Amino acid sequence: MRPGNPSRSGRGFLSDEEKADRPKVTRKLLLRIGQYLLPYWKPFLLVLVCILASSVLHLLPAILTGRIIDEGLIGQNLGILIRLLILSLAVILGGHLIGVLESYLNTWIAQHISLDMRTSMYRHLLSLSHRFFTANSQGDIITRMTSDISGVQQIISNTLTSILSNIITLGLAVFAMYSKNWILASLGLVLVPLFTLPTKRVGKTRWALTREAQSRQDEINSILNETLSVSGQLLVKLFGREQAEYSRYTAANQQMVRLNIRERMAGRWFRVVLSTFSSIGPMLIYLMGGILMMRHDSGLTVGDITVLVALLSRMYTPVNALMGIQADWIRSMALFTRIFDYFDLPAEIRNAPGAVAPDKTRGEIRFADVEFSYEPANPILKQVSFSLSSGKSIAIVGASGAGKSTIINLIPRLFDATGGSVSFDGIDVRQLDLDYLRSRVGIVTQDTYLFQGTIRENLLYAKPDASAAELEAACRKANIHSFVQQQPLGYETMVGNRGLKLSGGEKQRLSIARVLLKDPAVLIFDEATSALDSISEALIQAAIEPLIRSRTSILIAHRLSTVLAADEILVLQDGRIAERGNHDSLIRNNGIYHEFYQTQFRADRNTQLPGKCLRPVPGIS
């Protein structure tokens, strides 16, 4: 957990880094955004029709105002006045009704596009390699999936349609003004260029503040995910860090509040300037209109001037809105850029063209000069070679960080070897269909993960169509069926968040049952008994021993009982196989394994395995 970087956007201008990261609005980016609109072109076309009709209807009352004044009020014709007022009311009502339809269509389109983006993003994230999830913050991933895509939804439902609506309204207002009087219309348009003066500055400032605010949001999400998860909150309590984490969370939120306030105020001052400019235009029209009426025979009426002022107001409103949208546009593009950044991440682990799925599976594994590294300068595995025949088992021992877990991660292709090859039944795993490969490999990890739900639901995760008999058979093999039967709700018993209602041994045995239900050809136990008490270990060991006699098995060994159950032992040191053989031969070598035995395994040398007692080792007292 790391505190966030201090805010840099308080300077009110963009740093070199921020300028470099500022999204560029390119034709390619716009076309990519347009691809999400394309499936909904029909309802979007209807939205355009609604916008056009609504814009026309919203301008008509202003035009009718001139006739109301000239023909109804000044002409003192009550009948015409009433008809014009009724017509204005009908036009206003029609405009609002069309606006409701437009709003519904906007919302429908935005919701469906955000649904498409969320589902596409989720599918893409599921296709990314395990490396992505170990290298990236969970808070950042969730932010992209939630608030970023929600922001895109707002862009589509508000910003995009607002741009179209305001452009159409502006065009109609200008046309109507020039049809009345070109002199006064031109005078009203003189001030429009002044609206653009503060736009560029405000856009830069808001982009800097938005970028920093998004960074703070990522930090807040990360804090919540770390400290409110089951493991995280337990660590907080055990180390008495409640106040420290509360202070860190409060500080991040205070930074977010300050940034949000500054962003909103940047837009507010911008709107004050625009409002000031928009107040000058009507005054100029009244002045020039009065001069034309009083000093020249222009044919203008009071109603005409009133209509021009009203139309000018209708024109300045979309201009103001478009200037504000222009300031928001960068923020919108930033959201799309962040989302597309994730979409552009390559799926490192994918099926090769023509990937195969053999009909028969033996479960034979071969490592040939395998190398692996997360970074080229720091190799994890170096020239690792071994073979494992069907039905045989290998135990891998070594110090923490020696590369034991990396070996087992390469078999189901959670990662790909950076050198050499890993073969499954004589075929390079990179040439096998991923679904086929992973369905043939079952892994029981030390850190057992159970989903919130019932025992049955967690078991069915491995085989959704499994029958009750299959569930019971798997649980019997894992020595957990009797425990389940003792529960009041049996297989419908809730396991709690991450299985916390169960003990470590019970969770581990359920994990074994879940893997057995999958019926893999290769079983891998990654220190499956290392954190358990002796009774739980005995039960699990009783389940493991018959399994490793019938299937290809790899055991990351922590206890001596597990080591002795294997056909061969590999001793890993610094990413290489330093020693290999059975227990007796490795002890006689007096090497690394002997040292492990003395420091880690010796206390277990009299461990009782189901059906046999471990023999004393010659030469070891």
Side-chain angles (χ1 to χ4, degrees):
M1 296 184 292
R2 299 187 301 272
N5 296 328
S7 173
R8 297 174 301 165
S9 61
R11 301 188 295 268
F13 55 87
L14 297 176
S15 66
D16 292 339
E17 179 185 358
E18 289 167 333
K19 289 178 180 178
D21 292 342
R22 185 179 179 182
K24 295 181 179 179
V25 182
T26 62
R27 181 173 179 270
K28 181 179 179 181
L29 176 61
L30 294 176
L31 287 175
R32 191 170 185 181
I33 294 171
Q35 289 177 352
Y36 286 95
L37 285 170
L38 192 58
Y40 305 101
W41 68 270
K42 289 182 180 178
F44 192 73
L45 184 62
L46 187 55
V47 168
L48 291 179
V49 173
C50 290
I51 290 174
L52 180 60
S54 178
S55 298
V56 171
L57 291 177
H58 278 91
L59 286 177
L60 280 178
I63 297 173
L64 290 173
T65 301
R67 293 187 61 191
I68 290 171
I69 292 173
D70 289 338
E71 299 176 24
L73 298 177
I74 297 177
Q76 297 184 4
N77 190 321
L78 184 59
I80 292 178
L81 177 62
I82 293 174
R83 286 197 298 271
L84 290 173
L85 290 175
I86 292 174
L87 179 59
S88 295
L89 181 61
V91 167
I92 292 172
L93 179 59
H96 289 319
L97 291 176
I98 293 176
V100 171
L101 176 60
E102 176 195 333
S103 178
Y104 170 78
L105 292 171
N106 280 335
T107 303
W108 189 90
I109 294 171
Q111 289 287 339
H112 280 77
I113 289 177
S114 64
L115 173 63
D116 293 343
M117 296 192 78
R118 281 196 302 268
T119 53
S120 296
M121 176 69 81
Y122 188 66
R123 178 179 290 276
H124 180 66
L125 290 175
L126 290 176
S127 73
L128 296 180
S129 70
H130 192 57
R131 185 196 304 267
F132 168 80
F133 297 96
T134 57
N136 288 275
S137 163
Q138 186 180 8
D140 181 63
I141 295 172
I142 292 176
T143 297
R144 310 263 179 140
M145 279 288 297
T146 54
S147 60
D148 282 4
I149 292 181
S150 295
V152 166
Q153 179 180 321
Q154 294 300 316
I155 292 167
I156 295 169
S157 62
N158 296 326
T159 306
L160 183 59
T161 53
S162 180
I163 291 174
L164 294 174
S165 176
N166 285 305
I167 288 175
I168 292 173
T169 301
L170 178 60
L172 290 173
V174 171
F175 175 79
M177 286 181 67
Y178 271 94
S179 66
K180 281 290 181 182
N181 187 283
W182 71 269
I183 297 176
L184 296 182
S186 300
L187 185 63
L189 290 174
V190 167
L191 294 177
V192 172
L194 297 178
F195 285 73
T196 63
L197 295 179
T199 302
K200 186 176 181 180
R201 176 69 176 180
V202 171
K204 288 183 177 180
T205 302
R206 293 190 70 181
W207 157 240
L209 294 172
T210 298
R211 184 175 181 273
E212 187 63 27
Q214 192 63 59
S215 177
R216 294 286 75 76
Q217 185 63 57
D218 291 346
E219 180 188 352
I220 290 170
N221 287 342
S222 181
I223 292 173
L224 292 175
N225 277 289
E226 290 174 344
T227 59
L228 297 184
S229 66
V230 174
S231 301
Q233 65 84 29
L234 179 60
L235 195 66
V236 170
K237 285 179 168 58
L238 291 177
F239 284 90
R241 298 287 295 175
E242 289 93 341
Q243 185 58 43
E245 294 299 342
Y246 172 77
S247 299
R248 188 162 73 101
Y249 178 72
T250 302
N253 272 283
Q254 288 174 343
Q255 286 182 331
M256 172 69 81
V257 168
R258 286 195 293 269
L259 289 167
N260 285 337
I261 291 173
R262 291 181 59 196
E263 181 188 359
R264 298 299 186 274
M265 290 309 297
R268 178 63 62 184
W269 287 116
F270 177 54
R271 285 189 289 273
V272 167
V273 173
L274 295 182
S275 297
T276 302
F277 287 152
S278 63
S279 300
I280 300 174
M283 299 178 186
L284 291 178
I285 286 184
Y286 281 128
L287 176 61
M288 182 57 68
I291 293 174
L292 291 176
M293 284 181 61
M294 299 174 191
R295 302 285 180 89
H296 304 278
D297 186 13
S298 61
L300 279 173
T301 66
V302 174
D304 291 335
I305 295 176
T306 304
V307 168
L308 284 165
V309 170
L311 289 173
L312 186 65
S313 176
R314 293 288 193 275
M315 184 185 73
Y316 282 168
T317 297
V319 169
N320 285 336
L322 288 171
M323 293 301 101
I325 289 172
Q326 185 178 355
D328 290 335
W329 183 253
I330 294 176
R331 181 175 189 173
S332 304
M333 293 301 102
L335 287 176
F336 275 112
T337 301
R338 280 171 54 84
I339 293 170
F340 291 154
D341 282 346
Y342 265 25
F343 274 123
D344 290 337
L345 291 173
E348 298 178 27
I349 309 297
R350 62 174 64 189
N351 276 338
V356 297
D359 294 331
K360 295 182 179 180
T361 302
R362 300 186 305 276
E364 296 178 351
I365 294 174
R366 181 172 181 268
F367 276 57
D369 297 324
V370 171
E371 296 184 353
F372 179 81
S373 62
Y374 295 102
E375 300 173 358
N378 185 26
I380 306 298
L381 297 180
K382 310 165 189 173
Q383 300 291 314
V384 172
S385 298
F386 66 88
S387 296
L388 184 56
S389 301
S390 177
K392 297 296 183 180
S393 60
I394 281 180
I396 304 176
V397 301
S400 178
K404 304 187 298 296
S405 294
T406 301
I407 286 178
I408 66 173
N409 286 337
L410 295 179
I411 297 172
R413 290 191 70 196
L414 296 180
F415 300 94
D416 273 339
T418 53
S421 66
V422 179
S423 299
F424 186 92
D425 285 348
I427 304 174
D428 192 310
V429 293
R430 287 168 289 197
Q431 300 303 316
L432 288 171
D433 180 79
L434 269 176
D435 290 338
Y436 165 83
L437 174 64
R438 290 173 179 173
S439 69
R440 267 58 177 180
V441 178
I443 301 179
V444 179
T445 63
Q446 178 181 354
D447 183 19
T448 303
Y449 191 96
L450 297 178
F451 293 103
Q452 175 79 22
T454 65
I455 291 175
R456 183 185 302 277
E457 289 169 340
N458 274 277
L459 292 172
L460 291 177
Y461 197 77
K463 188 180 180 182
D465 60 348
S467 65
E470 288 176 306
L471 291 180
E472 182 176 331
C475 288
R476 287 185 185 279
K477 291 179 181 178
N479 287 330
I480 192 65
H481 177 65
S482 59
F483 163 78
V484 177
Q485 282 189 316
Q486 292 169 9
Q487 306 306 304
L489 297 178
Y491 282 90
E492 305 306 322
T493 300
M494 298 293 294
V495 301
N497 189 12
R498 293 180 61 92
L500 284 184
K501 291 185 177 180
L502 307 178
S503 70
E506 291 158 357
K507 287 194 297 182
Q508 196 64 281
R509 280 179 280 156
L510 272 181
S511 178
I512 294 174
R514 183 168 59 187
V515 169
L516 290 178
L517 200 62
K518 182 180 178 182
D519 192 27
V522 176
L523 273 174
I524 299 174
F525 296 92
D526 187 1
E527 302 197 29
T529 63
S530 63
L532 303 179
D533 58 85
S534 57
I535 296 177
S536 296
E537 180 190 359
L539 290 170
I540 291 174
Q541 199 68 44
I544 290 177
E545 187 179 6
L547 295 175
I548 65 176
R549 286 201 302 264
S550 60
R551 302 171 190 251
T552 309
S553 305
I554 298 178
L555 306 100
I556 305 297
H558 180 79
R559 300 280 177 92
L560 182 61
S561 55
T562 308
V563 173
L564 291 180
D567 294 311
E568 185 181 18
I569 302 169
L570 304 181
V571 182
L572 215 60
Q573 184 179 47
D574 295 330
R576 299 180 186 274
I577 297 178
E579 296 177 350
R580 64 194 310 163
N582 60 31
H583 175 79
D584 292 347
S585 64
L586 290 173
I587 286 292
R588 287 193 294 270
N589 285 343
N590 201 31
I592 300 170
Y593 180 81
H594 182 272
E595 182 180 348
F596 270 114
Y597 176 81
Q598 293 284 23
T599 59
Q600 184 173 350
F601 294 152
R602 183 164 180 161
D604 289 338
R605 63 176 175 162
N606 292 320
T607 300
Q608 181 75 34
L609 279 175
K612 67 175 174 181
C613 180
L614 301 186
R615 60 194 180 283
V617 179
I620 302 297
S621 58

